[in-house]
Amino acid sequence: MRILFVGDVVGRPGRDAVEALLPGLREQLDIDACVVNGENIANGIGITPRLADRLLAAGADAVTLGNHAWRREEIGAYLASSPSVVRPANFQVGAPGRGLAVVEGRDGTRVAVLNVLGSLYLDPAHSMWELVDDLVEEARAETPIVVVDVHAEATSEKVALASWLDGRVTAVLGTHTHVQTADARVLPGGTAAITDVGMTGPHDSVIGVQTELAIRRMRTGMPVRFETASTGVRLEGAVVTCDPATGRASAIEPVRVPWP
Ligand SMILES: [Fe+2]
């Protein structure tokens, strides 16, 4: 079984790239199931119900989020009833939505998708370490194929989580930094991991933001309204190959596709 995970879709350029590329990539890469991180799709920050539906229509079987999940208020009610769009599990108890979804791939094979938030700079209500074991157990009761999106700033947290879950999940894939890392590997227990899958959006930028605006804010310390950049667009992510009977991964390959 082959699972495509698409990294953080940023703004209109990212959305256009996903809509243009994903149907063809699913064919070309022989993809059975696809998960897309969509937390930056609404003008660079957050997601709306309409945009979540567009990702699903473009070929995502599940959508994950991150620290900007609540930036667009209207997504709360949507998440409360969505079977396939998840937000980090370690938000406040009682927040709408869930951090675990079980979706069906191409031939009906069930894939569990988990989303957790790291601690550094992101200040989740609960540490992911407090609940990730229970979530993984819940997922494994449904299907052996379990994909974890760990949305985190610190490489250390993401590498540590991958090792902790090695042998219990199919993949631990990092998101949030928007810079693809060169450490895709399958760990000894059969868990595929990469510290960050990268960004689907404009790479002539500072992680998606117009370069000049990002530098001005850093240099002056003054508030600067960020705008999404527009050029150097790439779809980035990773493809995980696994045994559908056991959920064990046998390979992980990073993906970087320029668009147009
Ligand atoms: Fe993020």
Side-chain angles (χ1 to χ4, degrees), residues 118-139:
S119 291
L120 184 76
Y121 300 157
L122 302 178
D123 298 321
H126 307 275
S127 161
M128 65 183 178
W129 299 98
E130 291 176 22
L131 46 77
V132 74
D133 292 334
D134 286 345
L135 262 185
V136 166
E137 275 318 297
E138 190 183 341

Side-chain angles (χ1 to χ4, degrees), residues 8 37 39-40 65-69 117 122 151-153 175-178:
D8 311 27
N37 183 296
E39 83 134 0
N40 299 113
L65 298 174
N67 51 306
H68 296 307
L117 199 62
L122 302 178
H151 195 80
E153 183 75 35
T175 58
H176 178 68
T177 72
H178 296 187

Side-chain angles (χ1 to χ4, degrees), residues 2 29 184 194 237-241 251-255:
R2 284 164 65 75
L29 300 173
I194 182 169
V239 176
V240 174
T241 308
I252 175 169
E253 306 143 64
V255 170

Side-chain angles (χ1 to χ4, degrees), residues 18 35 48 51 104 146 192:
V18 166
V35 181
T48 63
L51 293 174
E104 286 188 359
V146 181

Side-chain angles (χ1 to χ4, degrees), residues 164-240:
W164 176 245
L165 296 180
D166 182 25
R168 290 191 279 159
V169 302
T170 305
V172 176
L173 307 171
T175 58
H176 178 68
T177 72
H178 296 187
V179 178
Q180 189 179 78
T181 54
D183 65 339
R185 71 239 182 251
V186 178
L187 294 165
T191 294
I194 182 169
T195 299
D196 207 295
V197 296
M199 173 178 78
T200 297
H203 285 259
D204 296 338
S205 69
V206 175
I207 63 169
V209 172
Q210 289 179 17
T211 302
E212 190 265 328
L213 301 178
I215 292 174
R216 193 194 310 163
R217 186 195 277 188
M218 291 180 198
R219 289 194 74 221
T220 64
M222 299 300 288
V224 175
R225 192 189 155 83
F226 281 175
E227 300 285 345
T228 302
S230 57
T231 57
V233 178
R234 283 199 300 275
L235 179 149
E236 293 190 343
V239 176
V240 174

Side-chain angles (χ1 to χ4, degrees), residues 12 52 193 237:
R12 172 114 202 212

